[in-house]
Amino acid sequence: MIMNNDASNKTRRDFVKQTGMLAGGIIAAPFLSRANYFSGADDTIKIVLIGCGGRGTGAAMQALLSKQNVKLVAMADAFRDNLDRCYKSLAVDSANDPSTAGVKDHIDVPEERKFTGFDAYMKAIPLADVVILATPPGFRPIHFEEAIKQNKHVFMEKPVATDPAGIQKVLAVAAIAKQKRLNVVVGLQRHYQNSYRELYKRKDLIGDITSAQAWWNNDGVWVRPRKAGQTEMEYQMRNWYYFVWLCGDHITEQHIHNLDVINWFKGGYPVKAQGMGGRQVRKGKDNGEIFDHHYVEFEYADGSLLNSQCRHIPGTMSKVDELFVGTKGKIHCGAGKITDASGKPIYQYDMKGENNPYQTEHDELFAAIAKGEYKFADAENGAKSSMTSILGRMATYSGQVVEWEKAINSGLDLHPKTYSFDATPPVVPNADGFYNVAVPGVTKYV
């Protein structure tokens, strides 16, 4: 299952050495080689996991199933219980699952390489060749910055930031990653899905794209109630989905996938947005400050429009999909189908050939690293698609037309000055336990 040969080992060793030398001069190569001590072999691709929740656990498993000579050597999370649960899922549960047979043999994470707290990432990253970033997205910019500073290849989950200041940091670091020839893959997995890749190859069949639609409508996600003895910071970290500085709202945390598909096929990003949203049913104390629905009209430079909707309301229509309308036809992404102007099918992807794109993004990343290839530079697009979702949120929160250039250069920074469990988060509840929620027409977008 795990492939290895002398030629590929030499290629990977050379690649690590070369990227290290490019990154920081000849002294970087010995620094990187020290990480090999932990795996016991200089041909092993060493992985560290930063963020041990559900998505982090899944990403680590997919990395370990990538068929390369990989080893998980360190784990980091704000909370020890998250880390322990993740470790058990990877190392213990996989022993009883035929689909993940052998994974536990590629895990070498003793107690001294299990790190917790806000600074855990600083302790884990030096031990890696490849860093997996899967914490709540508010932390992505500082974690990405540190990984690239230390000359590591990166897989990071989407979104890559929750505010314009974070986007600017990621864009700056993305440029450095390119200079250093460090591979970066972002978990916008439609780019790695066979049906979407085939539709993209054939997008010219519909002529010029004049409009698009995107949906992420479903019941919503988990809620983690407040527990006795928690500080406000710990509560928000545990219930992170409901706080904008950590999550970005569900338009950013989830709907980014659909917005990114539109950007990808359009070959650009919107220049402005306006829309509406609010909280209709998700209004409890444990629902923080985010909306439960957003409807946004994005405009691109060529005048084409994207009508985007995302909703978290139980009992309503569920739909996660994208549609392109062109001068000659339509692309129905979820169905893998292209029709002409009259609705007649002119292309149908054979869904029997569909892959698991979550696995493919890791397969391709680790294959490139094993071969010594510099192949992936996803961070810039990841940042700009994340910014697309933030632009939409700024429009729905304010009720105003928000221009891309003003928004991305606004300097808006939602994050605390200090990261500790005793620190005060950027938002706190009132005397009744409720948080301030954006009011369109009143809330300013900067």
Side-chain angles (χ1 to χ4, degrees):
M1 181 177 182
I2 304 297
M3 298 189 299
N4 187 13
N5 58 64
D6 290 342
S8 63
N9 294 346
K10 184 178 185 297
T11 302
R12 200 205 71 78
R13 288 196 297 270
D14 291 345
F15 188 41
V16 171
K17 182 178 179 181
Q18 289 165 5
T19 53
M21 292 173 67
L22 283 167
I26 191 68
I27 62 170
F31 171 77
L32 283 173
S33 68
R34 286 203 299 271
N36 292 310
Y37 169 80
F38 299 102
S39 68
D42 65 3
D43 63 311
T44 301
I45 302 173
K46 295 162 296 300
I47 303 166
V48 301
L49 173 63
I50 314 296
C52 299
R55 184 74 284 270
T57 303
M61 180 65 80
Q62 286 140 9
L64 293 170
L65 288 170
S66 67
K67 296 184 172 64
Q68 306 305 323
N69 189 5
V70 300
K71 183 162 286 189
L72 181 66
V73 300
M75 300 169 68
D77 195 275
F79 299 108
R80 181 60 195 243
D81 58 315
N82 283 351
L83 193 155
D84 288 342
R85 190 161 46 246
C86 176
Y87 182 83
K88 180 180 178 181
S89 294
L90 295 172
V92 180
D93 294 352
S94 64
N96 301 314
D97 183 351
S99 69
T100 60
V103 165
K104 65 184 181 65
D105 298 329
H106 298 273
I107 300 172
D108 179 19
V109 189
E111 280 300 308
E112 61 267 25
R113 298 202 295 275
K114 295 177 180 177
F115 305 107
T116 58
F118 283 99
D119 64 347
Y121 74 104
M122 296 287 289
K123 301 170 184 176
I125 288 174
L127 310 179
D129 294 322
V130 183
V131 179
I132 297 174
L133 302 179
T135 62
F139 294 102
R140 202 82 73 242
I142 60 172
H143 292 172
F144 180 49
E145 180 180 45
E146 186 64 24
I148 298 304
K149 178 182 177 181
Q150 295 199 31
N151 311 319
K152 311 303 180 181
H153 303 284
V154 172
F155 172 85
M156 59 178 170
E157 265 303 339
K158 55 64 195 162
V160 301
T162 58
D163 55 32
I167 295 296
Q168 293 283 26
K169 180 182 288 290
V170 171
L171 286 171
V173 176
I176 296 171
K178 284 184 178 181
Q179 293 171 2
K180 293 183 173 186
R181 296 177 62 80
L182 294 168
N183 285 291
V184 180
V185 167
V186 175
L188 292 165
Q189 79 280 353
R190 299 301 192 200
H191 292 263
Y192 297 86
Q193 186 167 342
N194 290 345
S195 60
Y196 279 76
R197 285 175 163 180
E198 293 302 316
L199 291 172
Y200 180 80
K201 291 176 185 176
R202 296 165 174 81
K203 65 188 181 75
D204 289 346
L205 290 175
I206 68 165
D208 296 330
I209 296 172
T210 56
S211 67
Q213 292 176 260
W215 303 264
W216 190 295
N217 294 334
N218 62 13
D219 289 354
V221 299
W222 45 263
V223 174
R224 294 173 184 151
R226 190 185 298 270
K227 293 183 178 180
Q230 288 180 329
T231 65
E232 181 62 26
M233 180 66 84
E234 180 179 354
Y235 167 68
Q236 292 192 21
M237 288 283 289
R238 295 283 191 181
N239 201 35
W240 62 268
Y241 199 95
Y242 297 92
F243 297 94
V244 179
W245 72 277
L246 285 164
C247 163
D249 205 316
H250 66 107
I251 190 173
T252 294
E253 215 286 326
Q254 288 183 309
H255 193 37
I256 181 178
H257 283 294
N258 315 103
L259 301 177
D260 173 67
V261 169
I262 307 302
N263 292 340
W264 176 23
F265 280 58
K266 283 288 297 178
Y269 306 91
V271 296
K272 60 183 176 181
Q274 67 86 23
M276 61 186 74
R279 287 160 64 104
Q280 189 167 353
V281 300
R282 191 162 60 188
K283 298 187 285 188
K285 293 180 181 179
D286 286 319
N287 296 135
E289 57 180 337
I290 69 171
F291 282 5
D292 59 21
H293 63 281
H294 301 259
Y295 195 104
V296 184
E297 178 188 83
F298 293 95
E299 184 173 336
Y300 289 78
D302 62 2
S304 61
L305 299 177
L306 160 62
N307 284 296
S308 143
Q309 53 182 280
C310 57
R311 178 176 60 213
H312 279 180
I313 298 179
T316 61
M317 177 198 74
S318 292
K319 186 171 186 177
V320 179
D321 204 352
E322 307 87 23
L323 172 73
F324 292 94
V325 179
T327 54
K328 297 179 181 179
K330 298 179 180 180
I331 300 174
H332 309 258
C333 291
K337 181 173 67 174
I338 302 176
T339 59
D340 65 16
S342 67
K344 179 182 177 181
I346 54 177
Y347 172 75
Q348 176 63 63
Y349 177 75
D350 183 357
M351 290 301 183
K352 293 178 182 178
E354 194 66 288
N355 62 326
N356 176 353
Y358 295 95
Q359 185 61 52
T360 300
E361 59 192 358
H362 288 273
D363 291 346
E364 295 188 4
L365 170 62
F366 284 93
I369 293 170
K371 293 175 183 176
E373 297 176 347
Y374 172 58
K375 189 175 180 181
F376 298 102
D378 290 357
E380 181 178 349
N381 174 68
K384 290 182 177 179
S385 281
S386 296
M387 186 63 215
T388 301
S389 70
I390 293 167
L391 181 73
R393 184 188 75 217
M394 295 169 88
T396 59
Y397 279 13
S398 67
Q400 306 298 325
V401 176
V402 183
E403 297 178 358
W404 175 282
E405 288 300 323
K406 289 183 179 179
I408 197 171
N409 294 310
S410 66
L412 181 64
D413 185 345
L414 302 177
H415 285 255
K417 301 301 180 185
T418 303
Y419 293 109
S420 80
F421 287 114
D422 294 327
T424 301
V427 294
V428 294
N430 62 22
D432 296 321
F434 291 92
Y435 297 85
N436 287 333
V437 176
V439 178
V442 176
T443 299
K444 305 300 182 184
Y445 71 84
V446 293

